[in-house]
Amino acid sequence: MAQFDLNDDSVVCIVGSGAGGGTLGNELAQKGIKVVILEAGGRYEFTDFINDEWDSFTQLAWKDMRTTSGSWRVHKDFPNLPAWIVKAVGGSTTHWAGASLRFQEHEFKTRTTYGELPGANLLDWPITLAELEPYYAKAEYKMGVTSTNGIPRLPGNNNFKVLQAGATKIGYKEVHTGNMAINSQPRDDRDSCQQIGFCFQGCKSGAKWSTLMAEIPKGEATGRLEVRPGSMATHIEHDASGKVTGVVYVDADGKTQRQKARIVAVAGNSLESPRLLLNSASPKFPDGLANSSGQVGRNYMRHMTGSVYGVFDRPVHMYRGTTMAGIVRDEAALNTKRGFVGGYELETLSLGLPFLAAFLDPGAWGRSFTAGLDDYPNMAGLWIVGEDMPRETNRVTLDPAVKDGNGMPVASVHFDDHDNDVKMRAHAYQQGSAIYQAVGATRVFQTPPYPSTHNLGTNRMSANAKDGVVNKFGQTHDVKNLFVSDGSQFTSGAACNPTLTIVSLAIRQAETMQGMMGRGEI
Amino acid sequence: MRVVDRRSKVTRRIVLRGGAMAVPGLAAGLAIVPGAAWAQAARNLAPATLTTLARAARDIYPHDHIADAYYITAVSGYDSGTPEIRHLVTEGCTLLDAEAQKRHGTPYLLVANETDRVAILTAIEETAFFGKLRSDLVVSLYNQKPLWAKFGYEGSSADKGGYINRGFNDIDWVS
């Protein structure tokens, strides 16, 4: 396995090993480029994962202090846990459910399609679906997405069958077990799905694609990729010309280190990536690196989410089998007749008893609440994933008072729902409830959003440097050898889970980066 | 469909496993009643405080199919809490008793009617004590593994081969 010198300034240094960073690292290594990935968390192999919600949370989740403000309910219910994401090698690809959907064409052109919306900072992406399609295809092949490349869809579990029956009954047409990066048959040296459940806790059969299972070992096998767990990046440094020169980080032993680099790629998820750029402010870049637009940290999106749980008079056992076992896509299509712009997906979701107690109705107590839990085996659940509106005021900043153990200001997350988000959520709650009522639900719970799993937009792509942080390749407008490689690049969030798009962009970025390096541009 | 056997298997070992206290011998003592033997084993908190906490726990998250032992286990950790936490829960129970005395002329534990006790809890809902107790219970009650089967939850599954041959798609009332 490769081990690069701290002073080796020919490496590409990537901060973060999740969908963006892990994929980029492997892609570059395959192309003959030397890569060091700094990962803040530890390394846990799939055999180490724990089928226990709280124990797994302790093992994998990013629990370091963060602060929140704004009118979103997460601020009230989970003031120091704005996001449920992972601090471990593989990043949140260890935790994700596997839903792998492509953006629709209009979702790359939200400003053009939706027009100007007061209070929203809509912008078209500088790329089109057609430009990304070849990379979507590569990502789907790499990840083994079901219903692509001749890979059969997964069988539906009980939770899906309830969703499917209800959705079909109220007239929905596009209902299936999803395009999932979970093996329905053995593929790519990974086993097929054993319907374990606990997809969020790390897949113990290895059937689910993650950078931990798939990208990183392949990259390491080239001898050109080194992953350093326990390495918390604190600053990106630059020279007098403004080019970045390396990354300062605190290693697993608490020692400050400095990895020199030819190129730096930031892929720490949409809360940590802007935090790192903002914390890298210098006399030359007083507002933070790559922030001449003032857009670093802004336009934070988290998807319009929520859940609906139906209670029935007969058993469902929703927790058996894949967590995200199926989807209704009808409401994701472009349709402006519902009183809001954008669309949403309804995807099955299940929680075990411990997490359902924590998330079903945070703060609730008494018999109305406990009666729901008493019927746990008779519950079915779905999660809403809708396009939320980018807003300049929804943003990640450095907390002025609170610092982490390394003395680095923590990320402070401010979020207010846009009116469009509120209208869309009301519609989705109504439709989700109707699905379960159509098959005999005796009660439905409309569950508020959890801490965010889809964190997007805080270093967004823009055609013009004044509107965003990075160009169409994720290269920062301000610093040519500094890239952003995670979901913080997203100009808008679309009505679908983001991972497939993050991976596609990373594959494309690796290709671009190789070309730029070959031409001596960076 | 394969359903989960939800019958009770509870004995005093639940408390011995989950709690921080040494509990004297008899399972019969594991009830939320004044002067309960289990509460006398407290090292730091007053026995009446622990009993009141257990009663409040049951009133906050009432499940009639769950034995008192689980609620006792859920609050038993406070006995070994920090001095600040012990102070908070002690003061909280004093507040509950004061409110109960005012309304019914008895301590909280002896207010016979659940509706009346819930009204007292509602009256103190905004206090730091209530917030702490309620949010702690979400984990200290529902994360007790022996409790899960009673809610029809099966817990870990990879060690049993997942559900691929154990009913992931065995629903028989929808098609």
Side-chain angles (χ1 to χ4, degrees):
Chain A
M1 227 177 269
Q3 205 173 348
F4 295 108
D5 193 273
L6 289 166
N7 291 313
D8 186 343
D9 60 4
S10 68
V11 305
V12 175
C13 183
I14 302 173
V15 180
S17 64
T23 302
L24 177 67
N26 179 34
E27 289 286 315
L28 292 173
Q30 299 297 332
K31 295 175 193 302
I33 296 164
K34 294 186 286 183
V35 179
V36 172
I37 294 182
L38 303 177
E39 167 54 53
R43 186 161 186 158
Y44 306 97
E45 301 301 341
F46 74 109
T47 46
D48 301 328
F49 293 146
I50 308 167
N51 267 198
D52 178 296
E53 289 176 313
W54 284 116
D55 287 351
S56 174
F57 187 84
T58 301
Q59 180 184 54
L60 296 176
W62 187 290
K63 300 178 295 296
D64 301 13
M65 174 61 89
R66 286 170 172 149
T67 57
T68 55
S69 59
S71 56
W72 56 328
R73 188 163 158 184
V74 169
H75 167 57
K76 173 175 170 276
D77 295 335
F78 307 98
N80 300 117
L81 191 74
W84 179 8
I85 51 180
V86 170
K87 185 178 182 181
V89 174
S92 297
T93 64
T94 59
H95 162 75
W96 80 310
S100 302
L101 299 162
R102 297 184 179 194
F103 274 41
Q104 303 167 83
E105 189 169 9
H106 72 273
E107 290 173 325
F108 287 100
K109 301 173 192 163
T110 55
R111 178 65 182 77
T112 302
T113 310
Y114 304 151
E116 187 172 340
L117 235 66
N121 193 22
L122 285 167
L123 184 72
D124 290 356
W125 287 60
I127 52 173
T128 61
L129 176 62
E131 279 176 88
L132 204 55
E133 266 170 347
Y135 302 95
Y136 271 138
K138 286 180 183 180
E140 286 163 347
Y141 180 78
K142 173 196 280 288
M143 299 161 80
V145 175
T146 60
S147 94
T148 74
N149 297 286
I151 301 167
R153 284 208 159 106
L154 288 157
N157 67 3
N158 292 345
N159 201 19
F160 170 69
K161 288 182 176 183
V162 174
L163 178 83
Q164 182 185 38
T168 307
K169 218 161 176 177
I170 68 166
Y172 284 134
K173 306 288 184 218
E174 201 180 342
V175 185
H176 53 69
T177 62
N179 295 22
M180 303 297 292
I182 297 176
N183 279 350
S184 56
Q185 53 197 22
R187 185 179 185 277
D188 199 25
D189 294 328
R190 288 184 288 112
D191 201 354
S192 62
C193 176
Q194 303 300 302
Q195 299 291 336
I196 292 169
F198 294 100
C199 300
F200 289 167
Q201 283 70 35
C203 177
K204 282 190 77 68
S205 74
K208 184 179 81 179
W209 176 90
S210 66
T211 53
L212 174 76
M213 285 294 294
E215 303 307 305
I216 289 168
K218 287 177 187 168
E220 287 174 329
T222 66
R224 289 183 289 271
L225 170 63
E226 179 189 354
V227 177
R228 286 186 206 148
S231 302
M232 178 68 199
T234 58
H235 291 87
I236 299 169
E237 295 187 320
H238 63 80
D239 62 17
S241 75
K243 272 175 58 181
V244 295
T245 53
V247 181
V248 178
Y249 67 98
V250 179
D251 72 12
D253 298 322
K255 285 192 198 129
T256 298
Q257 307 285 4
R258 178 176 282 98
Q259 176 62 54
K260 290 191 177 166
R262 177 174 177 180
I263 294 168
V264 173
V266 179
N269 206 311
S270 290
L271 305 189
E272 292 306 311
S273 289
R275 179 187 178 209
L276 179 58
L277 293 177
L278 293 171
N279 199 53
S280 301
S282 67
K284 191 174 179 70
F285 300 111
D287 298 322
L289 265 184
N291 197 22
S292 66
S293 63
Q295 294 290 311
V296 169
R298 293 188 184 271
N299 312 303
Y300 170 60
M301 295 171 286
R302 59 181 309 274
H303 272 143
M304 185 290 294
T305 69
S307 307
V308 178
Y309 291 93
V311 182
F312 298 87
D313 62 351
R314 282 165 285 188
V316 178
H317 304 293
M318 64 175 170
Y319 56 87
R320 292 182 187 168
T322 48
T323 304
M324 216 155 261
I327 188 168
V328 178
R329 298 204 67 188
D330 298 57
E331 298 288 357
L334 180 59
N335 170 8
T336 52
K337 292 179 185 151
R338 295 167 296 184
F340 53 86
V341 302
Y344 61 87
E345 314 267 12
L346 301 170
E347 303 174 345
T348 73
L349 183 84
S350 66
L351 296 175
L353 182 77
F355 272 17
L356 195 70
F359 291 130
L360 181 63
D361 187 3
W365 59 281
R367 286 197 178 265
S368 173
F369 175 77
T370 56
L373 293 184
D374 282 337
D375 285 321
Y376 178 75
N378 296 6
M379 289 176 116
L382 64 82
W383 192 52
I384 304 158
V385 190
E387 178 169 27
D388 60 340
M389 293 297 107
R391 312 187 76 182
E392 273 202 307
T393 48
N394 286 344
R395 62 187 295 204
V396 175
T397 53
L398 299 178
D399 192 289
V402 186
K403 292 184 164 60
D404 70 10
N406 300 320
M408 180 177 177
V410 305
S412 183
V413 186
H414 180 92
F415 191 88
D416 301 299
D417 281 320
H418 189 276
D419 281 349
N420 196 75
D421 308 341
V422 175
K423 283 180 188 150
M424 192 194 294
R425 184 176 294 115
H427 191 271
Y429 275 151
Q430 177 195 309
Q431 295 306 106
S433 301
I435 285 173
Y436 289 139
Q437 282 156 349
V439 277
T442 53
R443 184 179 182 186
V444 292
F445 282 89
Q446 297 181 344
T447 293
Y450 312 129
S452 318
T453 49
H454 299 171
N455 299 278
L456 304 167
T458 51
N459 295 303
R460 72 177 183 179
M461 276 191 186
S462 62
N464 297 319
K466 67 175 172 48
D467 297 326
V469 179
V470 299
N471 68 15
K472 64 195 289 186
F473 299 113
Q475 181 183 31
T476 63
H477 289 301
D478 297 351
V479 182
K480 65 181 181 176
N481 66 338
L482 175 63
F483 289 73
V484 175
S485 313
D486 58 18
S488 68
Q489 296 173 85
F490 282 30
T491 312
S492 57
C496 67
N497 312 59
T499 302
L500 180 74
T501 302
I502 296 173
V503 172
S504 303
L505 290 171
I507 297 170
R508 179 167 171 272
Q509 186 177 67
E511 203 177 278
T512 307
M513 215 182 263
Q514 182 191 30
M516 289 175 170
M517 291 170 85
R519 294 187 298 273
E521 294 167 17
I522 49 176
Chain B
M1 289 184 78
R2 182 175 67 79
V3 296
V4 181
D5 184 352
R6 299 174 71 169
R7 285 174 298 179
S8 177
K9 292 167 195 152
V10 188
T11 63
R12 67 196 165 86
R13 72 189 171 82
I14 303 305
V15 168
L16 293 171
R17 184 189 291 173
M21 290 186 302
V23 176
L26 296 171
L30 289 180
I32 304 169
V33 291
W38 61 268
Q40 309 304 320
R43 288 164 190 269
N44 298 306
L45 289 174
T49 298
L50 266 181
T51 320
T52 302
L53 285 170
R55 179 73 262 169
R58 176 139 221 150
D59 293 332
I60 291 170
Y61 290 123
H63 295 284
D64 297 337
H65 61 104
I66 298 304
D68 281 353
Y70 294 103
Y71 294 96
I72 293 169
T73 299
V75 300
S76 62
Y78 288 123
D79 189 49
S80 52
T82 63
E84 293 74 25
I85 295 294
R86 281 187 272 126
H87 179 73
L88 182 74
V89 299
T90 300
E91 292 294 301
C93 289
T94 304
L95 184 65
L96 282 176
D97 283 341
E99 195 66 31
Q101 288 288 356
K102 192 169 78 187
R103 293 169 185 232
H104 308 288
T106 70
Y108 181 81
L109 192 59
L110 296 180
V111 175
N113 191 319
E114 180 185 311
T115 311
D116 292 334
R117 293 194 306 274
V118 168
I120 293 168
L121 290 170
T122 305
I124 67 146
E125 196 176 10
E126 299 303 322
T127 63
F129 160 68
F130 183 89
K132 172 74 178 158
L133 178 60
R134 191 210 58 73
S135 66
D136 284 350
L137 284 170
V138 171
V139 180
S140 64
L141 178 63
Y142 296 110
N143 205 33
Q144 293 179 45
K145 285 186 190 177
L147 194 77
W148 292 349
K150 295 186 62 59
F151 283 88
Y153 176 54
E154 297 177 75
S156 71
S157 120
D159 54 323
K160 302 175 190 76
Y163 289 106
I164 195 156
N165 298 312
R166 294 191 308 130
F168 81 101
N169 63 351
D170 67 354
I171 197 164
D172 55 10
W173 56 270
V174 292
S175 52

